[in-house]
Amino acid sequence: MADASSLIPAAVLRNLADKLYEKRKNAALDIEGIVKQLAISGDHDKITAVINLLTTEFTYSPQANHRKGGLIGLAAATVGLTSEAAQHLEQIVPPVLNSFSDQDSRVRYYACEALYNIAKVVRGDFIIFFNQIFDALCKLSADSDANVQSAAHLLDRLVKDIVTESDQFSIEEFIPLLRERMNVLNPYVRQFLVGWITVLDSVPDIDMLGFLPDFLDGLFNMLSDSSHEIRQQADSALSEFLQEIKNSPSVDYGRMAEILVQRAGSLDEFTRLTAITWINEFVKLGGDQLVPYYADILGAILPCISDKEEKIRVVARETNEELRALKADPAEAFDVGAILSIARRQLSSEWEATRIEALHWMSTLLNKYRTEVLQYLNDIFDTLLKALSDPSDEVVLLVLDVHACIAKDPQHFRQLVVFLVHNFRVDNSLLEKRGALIIRRLCVLLNAERVYRELSTILEGESDLDFASIMVQALNLILLTSSELSEIRDLLKQSLVNPAGKDLYVALYASWCHSPMAIISLCLLAQTYQHASAVVQSLVEEDINVKFLVQLDKLIRLLETPIFAYLRLQLLEPGRYTWLFKALYGLLMLLPQQSAAFKILKTRLKAVPSYSFNGEQLKKTSSGNPYQFLHHMSGGSQIGEDGNIAVDGGNSHNGINFAVRLQQFQQMQHQHRVHLKTQAQSRKSSSISSKEALRQEEPRRPQSSELSAVAPSRSSKRFQGS
């Protein structure tokens, strides 16, 4: 190989390493001329020798000025080679690229300048080094020296021009390089990357859309950058890609959907809005491709429905409706269980709107895929029951809608009512705060009579007597006051003449026995007044406590409501409704005279006009005391239930054996009394044990002899002061 030192004068080599830029520049011009002559003569061995000399003796020299000279010399050699430069690029470019990482910023600057001049000469032949050049430019874009950054930007623009006009650029080899750098946080690097994505996407022959999933997440990551300019550039690039997606017949929605779902949960508001906007378009465009991702998409949408930003809420709601309207076949990758799991999880959301939409999804799935949903019933049932304690009435009503939809099947209906009673038992606040709402809604959705019959059957065998009593009282109050149960009330009023009314009366009676006031209310509603009177007469001292009087107070006030208007009108016929009067007077006798309820009932009974009684009764009650008429109304007749003459002493009517019913009531009340005594004894024993423990901890008390010594003096003092 030729000796390069003999080809280049010593003065030129000396000037090439000079500290003055002008001398280095002039030396480079000399080298350009020498290489040009060698190229013309076709002496490529000597050209190779010159390049090797510039590389080894200058670009890899420990002296900074030598390195600077070597770089400008290589650029000059390339200019001298012109069209012949391509075959020597393997020698020329690597040392220049190596100089990009030089510790001296001026060397890095001249490396940019040298590569710029080389690229201008070789143009498209330069592409084979694109990945290495891109990597170097990526680092230089964040260089600490502003001059180096400026030089790198100039070089970057030239490289972009070369790539856009080249047919040798390989996007497949470039994408891994881009993907590796997309999560870099440096703002200069981010700007550099977005710039390249935008440029490459503008080239018709380069399919950047096909590789979008590889760098989509990085673009979304840039939306939360602190630099407004970077956010704007990333948003612009994303908007352009979204437009391309709308116009493209073939898009990989699946991979991108996974990225969008993650980004929809970003802490950055702008990122969330952009992600949910993309999801919205994907749901409209994706079709069958998105079916396997429905659950993930729903998991992203539901939290956004409650977003603090209105724009996000609007788009999320629209997307949710679009998704719910889509038709999917469980046999074709549509995972009903996964959707249910998302809806169940979102029922625990702190946001009401999200919980509401989760329930709408459950209802939708039940309506469309009932068989599949019921397979996952055990997974969602507990969550649905807990949701009945939700602070939102709207949520509770929707939960009940879902429960009612499940309970269309008899076995699920029974399961629902059993679990509901269990929840009321373990959570007293649920019964107190939500009991009426839950029972009334279920009565509307599942048939009131069916619900009450099932509840009665369960409560009849309830072992927790305290809970049974409270529950029955609650059910009784709902029965007497709720408009949703008006049909049941009408049916019960016909208990003495209608077999259906009788069956319902008997079905409720067994569990209503847990509460004396509930039984009395049921009798007054069913117009079994003689039995009501018998129940009142059967009450003993232990039954008439504070709780009983509170319930009685409520009943007396209810008697003044429109629901019991028929009963008040019956008071106008005392001869026909003897037992009604006796029952009401019995209740009056149980009330404290100073109570408001006593005054209300007394006033009502006094309001019965005197002409309501027959002549004999009027004569006997002429003193004006209305309480005397009970004694005079029997007239020696055997009176059965009011309005009818009994043929069996009032023990049975329309198939109702009232004697058995009364015995049933008395037995249940006996159980309650025994239970109360047991509780009282338990509390007493516990109290005694506590006192004994305290006594053992007290200091030693005086002996009995000591007490007897002081007792007389105390006694004498008391007598003296009396």
Side-chain angles (χ1 to χ4, degrees):
M1 184 177 288
D3 184 7
S5 58
S6 64
L7 299 172
I8 304 173
V12 172
L13 293 174
R14 190 167 52 251
N15 287 336
L16 193 61
D18 198 276
K19 64 179 181 179
L20 296 176
Y21 173 72
E22 286 300 324
K23 287 186 177 182
R24 293 198 302 272
K25 183 179 178 182
N26 290 331
L29 290 172
D30 291 335
I31 291 172
E32 179 185 337
I34 293 168
V35 171
K36 187 179 292 186
Q37 290 300 319
L38 292 172
I40 291 170
S41 62
D43 198 343
H44 287 280
D45 286 342
K46 291 181 179 179
I47 294 172
T48 300
V50 171
I51 294 171
N52 283 336
L53 173 67
L54 293 172
T55 301
T56 56
E57 298 297 325
F58 286 85
T59 58
Y60 292 127
S61 169
Q63 302 297 320
N65 289 329
H66 279 67
R67 297 197 296 275
K68 295 173 188 175
L71 290 167
I72 198 171
L74 288 172
T78 306
V79 173
L81 284 167
T82 59
S83 60
E84 303 289 330
Q87 59 185 297
H88 296 282
L89 285 179
E90 292 286 355
Q91 292 174 273
I92 295 171
V93 174
V96 178
L97 292 174
N98 183 68
S99 299
F100 281 143
S101 57
D102 197 283
Q103 292 183 349
D104 191 319
S105 62
R106 296 306 296 168
V107 173
R108 297 197 299 275
Y109 175 85
Y110 287 119
C112 292
E113 184 183 73
L115 196 58
Y116 182 90
N117 291 323
I118 293 167
K120 277 205 303 185
V121 173
V122 298
R123 303 297 291 185
D125 295 325
F126 185 68
I127 293 297
I128 61 171
F129 296 101
F130 175 77
N131 284 4
Q132 297 96 306
I133 294 169
F134 180 84
D135 183 47
L137 286 173
C138 188
K139 295 173 182 175
L140 290 175
S141 65
D143 199 278
S144 57
D145 189 279
N147 290 323
V148 175
Q149 280 193 23
S150 297
H153 290 159
L154 286 172
L155 175 60
D156 182 48
R157 280 200 292 269
L158 176 61
V159 175
K160 285 173 181 171
D161 290 341
I162 293 170
V163 167
T164 55
E165 65 188 27
S166 172
D167 58 0
Q168 299 177 35
F169 177 73
S170 173
I171 185 67
E172 291 80 5
E173 294 179 12
F174 167 70
I175 288 298
L177 202 65
L178 177 65
R179 185 173 57 238
E180 288 173 9
R181 288 157 179 75
M182 284 304 292
N183 290 319
V184 173
L185 299 178
N186 187 284
Y188 297 108
V189 175
R190 284 184 161 184
Q191 249 178 331
F192 170 79
L193 295 172
V194 175
W196 267 99
I197 290 170
T198 304
V199 166
L200 293 176
D201 188 46
S202 67
V203 180
D205 295 333
I206 297 177
D207 180 24
M208 284 294 280
L209 185 59
F211 295 96
L212 182 57
D214 291 289
F215 56 87
L216 180 64
D217 189 60
L219 281 175
F220 267 93
N221 202 24
M222 294 179 192
L223 291 175
S224 58
D225 196 278
S226 57
S227 167
H228 175 72
E229 187 176 357
I230 293 172
R231 291 199 304 272
Q232 200 170 36
Q233 288 178 350
D235 181 47
S236 178
L238 286 167
S239 298
E240 185 61 35
F241 278 119
L242 185 57
Q243 191 59 44
E244 290 177 32
I245 288 171
K246 293 179 183 179
N247 300 326
S248 175
S250 177
V251 177
D252 183 2
Y253 290 102
R255 283 180 63 198
M256 289 189 283
E258 294 177 358
I259 295 166
L260 296 175
V261 164
Q262 294 296 322
R263 289 298 168 182
S266 170
L267 296 175
D268 179 67
E269 185 180 293
F270 187 46
T271 304
R272 290 199 308 277
L273 176 59
T274 307
I276 205 70
T277 302
W278 274 62
I279 291 174
N280 180 271
E281 294 295 339
F282 274 31
V283 170
K284 294 174 183 176
L285 302 168
D288 294 341
Q289 279 195 53
L290 284 179
V291 171
Y293 302 96
Y294 276 6
D296 293 335
I297 290 173
L298 182 63
I301 292 171
L302 290 179
C304 288
I305 285 173
S306 302
D307 200 279
K308 60 183 180 181
E309 174 56 44
E310 185 180 0
K311 290 180 181 177
I312 296 175
R313 293 198 302 271
V314 169
V315 178
R317 285 191 177 280
E318 180 185 331
T319 309
N320 185 53
E321 294 303 321
E322 292 277 354
L323 190 64
R324 198 155 54 211
L326 293 175
K327 295 179 180 179
D329 188 349
E332 297 178 0
F334 180 67
D335 193 342
V336 174
I339 296 278
L340 269 178
S341 179
I342 293 294
R344 177 182 60 80
R345 189 161 65 242
Q346 292 302 328
L347 266 182
S348 302
S349 168
E350 61 179 310
W351 305 110
E352 179 183 349
T354 295
R355 300 197 300 275
I356 287 172
E357 288 306 319
L359 288 164
H360 281 314
W361 266 98
M362 286 188 174
S363 294
T364 300
L365 291 173
L366 272 167
N367 291 329
K368 290 184 178 181
Y369 315 104
R370 181 177 180 82
T371 304
E372 289 78 10
V373 170
L374 292 180
Q375 293 175 4
Y376 299 96
L377 187 57
N378 291 335
D379 296 334
I380 63 172
F381 204 79
D382 285 344
T383 304
L384 284 170
L385 284 173
K386 289 176 183 176
L388 291 172
S389 302
D390 196 280
S392 165
D393 284 352
E394 187 175 356
V395 170
V396 172
L397 291 174
L398 285 171
V399 170
L400 291 170
D401 286 349
V402 174
H403 274 303
C405 193
I406 294 171
K408 287 178 181 177
D409 301 326
Q411 71 272 26
H412 294 134
F413 173 77
R414 169 74 180 179
Q415 184 184 15
L416 168 62
V417 180
V418 168
F419 272 94
L420 191 60
V421 171
H422 172 74
N423 272 27
F424 284 146
R425 186 189 303 110
V426 298
D427 185 1
N428 290 330
S429 63
L430 178 63
L431 178 60
E432 182 182 341
K433 297 176 183 177
R434 286 277 188 270
L437 178 68
I438 292 169
I439 298 299
R440 289 170 60 186
R441 186 61 181 167
L442 284 180
C443 286
V444 170
L445 297 169
L446 293 173
N447 182 281
E449 183 179 347
R450 184 185 180 199
V451 171
Y452 260 69
R453 281 178 177 272
E454 193 65 48
L455 284 167
S456 181
T457 301
I458 294 168
L459 290 171
E460 182 181 355
E462 175 61 48
S463 59
D464 186 342
L465 296 181
D466 290 334
F467 165 71
S469 178
I470 294 171
M471 185 74 190
V472 165
Q473 288 167 16
L475 291 174
N476 183 63
L477 187 61
I478 296 167
L479 174 64
L480 295 178
T481 58
S482 299
S483 58
E484 295 87 348
L485 277 77
S486 60
E487 291 185 8
I488 286 190
R489 289 196 295 272
D490 291 341
L491 189 59
L492 284 169
K493 288 175 187 176
Q494 303 176 45
S495 297
L496 295 175
V497 295
N498 186 326
K502 179 208 75 172
D503 288 344
L504 179 59
Y505 177 83
V506 172
L508 297 183
Y509 194 98
S511 61
W512 258 237
C513 286
H514 283 292
S515 168
M517 200 46 56
I519 280 290
I520 294 169
S521 302
L522 182 65
C523 292
L524 294 179
L525 186 62
Q527 302 185 67
T528 56
Y529 300 136
Q530 182 180 6
H531 189 64
S533 177
V535 169
V536 173
Q537 295 291 335
S538 72
L539 297 175
V540 298
E541 180 182 343
E542 291 95 328
D543 298 327
I544 305 168
N545 50 33
V546 174
K547 291 181 180 178
F548 173 86
L549 293 175
V550 169
Q551 292 297 316
L552 179 54
D553 183 277
K554 289 181 181 179
L555 175 60
I556 299 305
R557 294 176 190 275
L558 282 172
L559 292 177
E560 296 298 313
T561 64
I563 289 170
F564 282 103
Y566 70 92
L567 182 148
R568 298 196 300 275
L569 291 172
Q570 288 171 351
L571 293 176
L572 296 175
E573 300 180 72
R576 187 178 179 191
Y577 296 100
T578 309
W579 292 110
L580 170 60
F581 276 91
K582 190 167 184 180
L584 293 179
Y585 274 104
L587 294 177
L588 187 68
M589 294 304 114
L590 297 179
L591 285 165
Q593 291 190 47
Q594 299 306 314
S595 67
F598 179 89
K599 294 172 184 176
I600 291 170
L601 184 55
K602 177 183 176 184
T603 302
R604 174 57 64 186
L605 292 171
K606 285 178 89 173
V608 177
S610 57
Y611 65 76
S612 299
F613 307 104
N614 58 36
E616 184 66 21
Q617 291 165 344
L618 287 173
K619 189 184 297 181
K620 291 180 179 180
T621 58
S622 59
S623 63
N625 185 353
Y627 307 126
Q628 293 179 359
F629 85 94
L630 280 174
H631 178 69
H632 300 289
M633 283 172 58
S634 61
S637 302
Q638 178 115 17
I639 304 296
E641 281 298 346
D642 283 346
N644 301 277
I645 302 298
V647 295
D648 59 356
N651 287 336
S652 178
H653 198 283
N654 192 29
I656 303 175
N657 192 326
F658 287 108
V660 172
R661 299 278 84 81
L662 182 61
Q663 187 179 11
Q664 185 180 19
F665 169 73
Q666 290 173 329
Q667 288 173 349
M668 181 61 74
Q669 287 307 302
H670 176 70
Q671 289 182 35
H672 277 269
R673 287 192 288 271
V674 170
H675 173 66
L676 286 173
K677 287 179 181 177
T678 303
Q679 281 186 327
Q681 289 173 356
S682 176
R683 285 194 295 270
K684 185 176 180 181
S685 299
S686 176
S687 175
I688 292 172
S689 299
S690 299
K691 288 178 181 178
E692 289 293 335
L694 286 172
R695 256 192 222 105
Q696 291 174 8
E697 294 176 7
E698 288 177 2
R700 188 188 70 84
R701 292 173 180 254
Q703 297 295 323
S704 57
S705 58
E706 297 175 67
L707 289 172
S708 61
V710 288
S713 61
R714 286 182 181 172
S715 177
S716 61
K717 285 182 181 178
R718 279 200 303 272
F719 282 117
Q720 289 170 5
S722 60

